[in-house]
Amino acid sequence: MTLGHLQRGIPAPFALPVGFAAFLAVGTVAAALHGRLTATGVLIACAVVAGAMSWLAEPVASVLLAGIGWLTVVGFSRPPYAQLRPTGTAAVRAAVVVGATSLACAGLGLVFRWYLRRLTLVSMGTYTGMRARRSAAQGTHGARGAQGARGAQGAQGVQGVQGVQGAQGAQGRPAGPEPEPQPRDAAARPAPSPGEDGAIDIRRRVAGVLLAAAALPLLTYVLTVFRPHLNLADDLLIYLVAVVTITVLGGFWPAVLAAVAASVLLNWYFTAPIHTFTIQEPRELLALLLFVTVAVAVSSVVHLAARRAVQAARAREEAASLLELAQTVLGGADSPAAVLEHLTRTHGGQAELQERVAGRWVRAASSGVEGSLPAASRLDIRGDLILLVTGQADSALPTPGPALLAGYAAQAAAALDRERLRIQAAQAEALAEGNRMRTALLAAVSHDLRTPLASIKASVSSLRQTDVEWSEADQADLLATIEQNADRLDALIGNLLDMSRLHTGSLQPFLRPTAIDEVAPVALLGLDDSLRLEMAVPDGFPLVLADPGLLERVLANLFSNALRHSPAAGPPPGLHARLAGDMVVLEVVDHGHGVPEEQKERIFEPFCTFPSARVGPAAARPLTRPGDRFPGGVGLGLAVARGFAEAMGGRIEATDTPGGGLTVAITLPAASADKTALGMGS
């Protein structure tokens, strides 16, 4: 028998059949010894059996045990055996001894179980308090030690479940301005499950009692009418069928009541002498004892079968609930708030996950809680994490059992750990991306910034030489070199600053109606061979909703890329504007060597460059890695263009130009078809 059964007492469906069988064995032994076992010995044996079973069983079973023990004593104390003699001094003495022994042992059993339960709770409270003090002591070693302890304990799941009786009063509380959450009292506990206190509800029990009260007298009347045609064995079997029927409807206790009532009716109406409780024939007393024993045993089997059915149904409900929870977590709702939301949605009530931080209990997640949570049941997950639940018993939804609540608590703790790991992984990824950007930036500074600076310095040094006479044409060339490299340096620094704004999230565009034919010419200023680019923007073309400064930077980078990759002997690059519904599409077209289909997305990554000549075996070479240098530039222009376009609510994509080359299309929302809207803000 488990510790839980010892604390509550052995259930009557188990205890009564065992006790009846023991009494029957005592009577059989007394009859077999033919007087060598005295009446006092029979009385002592029956008192011992009744006392032992009353001490072990739940208290209500002691009354029936005392009654069957008394029948055994008065029927098997002296020859002739198995004859019931319910009157006389011996019968009174047997009733007093067996009854007093049963009641006294039942009381002692209650006291023992109360002490055992108290001892268990004190032990649990002492252990939990020691664990809490140990956790508090570990927390003084620093936040890093506390995080390590949390990670080590996370895989252990729920270490213990403390209900409302849990010994939180004995648990040590850490110093801090906020007290520990207290479990509610026993009156506020969730109602026990049907599998614990009975598989049959109260309505079926009442129906069983009413059926016994109506059917047994009617059956007795019918059997008395047919008494000349039936013997005692027939009557016993008919009453047994009635008792089993009552068991199926009302459960164990109505069946026990029916079995006792049926035995009394059999004794009064069907055993000689009739209409007395005296039994003359030994076999009839034995038959009655066997009838009661078999009836109680069958009732126990039926009751336990019903109880197992209820427990199986409850297990199916809990398994379905856990399956739905697993599907919720696997479906993407992997957070402690989602787990608690599933708990309250499925079982009602309120739930709150609390974590100990710096000696205080703070809310980590909750569901259905407004303000502070009132008296609630507490489940210890680990030393720094608890789950508080309340209100499930008052809900019309199924009440979760301790094991199911422990499963929810473990899932909530695991979801909390996974959420923090995801945050840490995202932070690590951001740090890694920042390190990659810094590495590429250093590579760009080491080469692409030094090259134009070196050209500017060489040209200035040449102009300042006093021993060389430069012609006007040479001076113009040197000044043009200085201007060209200064423009290149300005564009490079501008792209670097723009990329840093994109990665830090400090870019805040100001959107307003903007004319394409006014921004595009400004974007061409300062570009080499800018006169080669053709712009085809229809008259009266709709305005776009964009930031003029950002749109200028986008077009400048795309124009620079198109001019750089378009051969001088081929068709010139161009800008084409068209309207697609309520969106404006700007296409920057070049007629160079193009980009392979599988690498069209990679050209928009920062610091990824692409060679201007892609012929022969070189066409199969992938894009360069960050830090590789080509005369075309650093590899920031297209990345900045995409970032600015998406910041303005648009998109940018690369396609093949018919006849060869690359077309980069920018899609932005149209603002107005009339240029008079230029003075309006967004």
Side-chain angles (χ1 to χ4, degrees), residues 34 75 114 136-137 255 273 418 427 437 475 485 513 532 553 636:
H34 297 290
W114 172 82
R418 288 192 296 269
Q427 293 174 347
M437 291 291 297
Q475 292 179 4
N485 283 278
R532 293 177 55 214
R553 295 295 302 152
L636 285 177

Side-chain angles (χ1 to χ4, degrees), residues 151-385:
Q153 292 173 347
Q156 296 178 1
V158 178
Q159 294 178 350
V161 177
Q162 271 189 278
V164 293
Q165 296 177 347
Q168 298 302 326
Q171 192 175 10
R173 298 182 183 177
E178 182 177 341
E180 290 190 9
Q182 291 297 313
R184 58 185 178 178
D185 56 16
R189 261 195 311 180
S193 63
E196 293 176 355
D197 285 353
I200 309 299
D201 58 24
I202 187 64
R203 290 178 297 178
R204 290 182 59 182
R205 295 181 187 178
V206 172
V209 173
L210 294 178
L211 178 61
L216 291 181
L218 180 61
L219 181 60
T220 303
Y221 173 75
V222 172
L223 291 178
T224 54
V225 173
F226 292 93
R227 183 186 302 162
H229 308 286
L230 300 174
N231 56 30
L232 183 61
D234 299 328
D235 298 333
L236 290 173
L237 292 177
I238 294 173
Y239 274 108
L240 183 60
V241 172
V243 171
V244 172
T245 304
I246 294 170
T247 303
V248 173
L249 177 62
F252 178 72
W253 287 112
V256 171
L257 177 63
V260 173
S263 65
V264 173
L265 292 173
L266 282 167
N267 186 5
W268 185 266
Y269 288 101
F270 301 101
T271 61
I274 297 175
H275 298 160
T276 64
F277 289 109
T278 302
I279 301 176
Q280 293 181 351
E281 295 293 333
R283 62 178 180 272
E284 293 181 353
L285 176 59
L286 182 61
L288 284 179
L289 291 176
L290 289 175
F291 167 77
V292 175
T293 303
V294 171
V296 172
V298 172
S299 301
S300 300
V301 172
V302 174
H303 173 81
L304 293 176
R307 179 177 178 178
R308 295 294 183 267
V310 171
Q311 291 175 344
R314 186 177 185 85
R316 284 195 300 270
E317 293 177 358
E318 293 183 352
S321 179
L322 290 176
L323 176 60
E324 185 179 354
L325 174 62
Q327 292 173 344
T328 301
V329 173
L330 295 177
D334 187 15
S335 65
V339 174
L340 298 185
E341 174 66 24
H342 182 270
L343 170 60
T344 56
R345 185 179 67 252
T346 306
H347 303 284
Q350 300 171 308
E352 181 176 328
L353 187 68
Q354 292 190 359
E355 183 179 17
R356 185 191 294 273
V357 178
R360 301 178 57 186
W361 288 106
V362 298
R363 178 183 299 175
S366 64
S367 177
V369 179
E370 297 180 0
S372 60
L373 192 66
S377 299
R378 167 173 171 166
L379 290 85
D380 287 339
I381 304 175
R382 57 191 186 215
D384 61 341
L385 200 64

Side-chain angles (χ1 to χ4, degrees), residues 37-39 42 73-83 85 87 90-91:
L37 181 61
T38 63
V42 174
V73 173
V74 299
F76 293 91
S77 294
R78 62 182 184 274
Y81 295 104
Q83 288 187 4
R85 292 176 290 273
T87 59

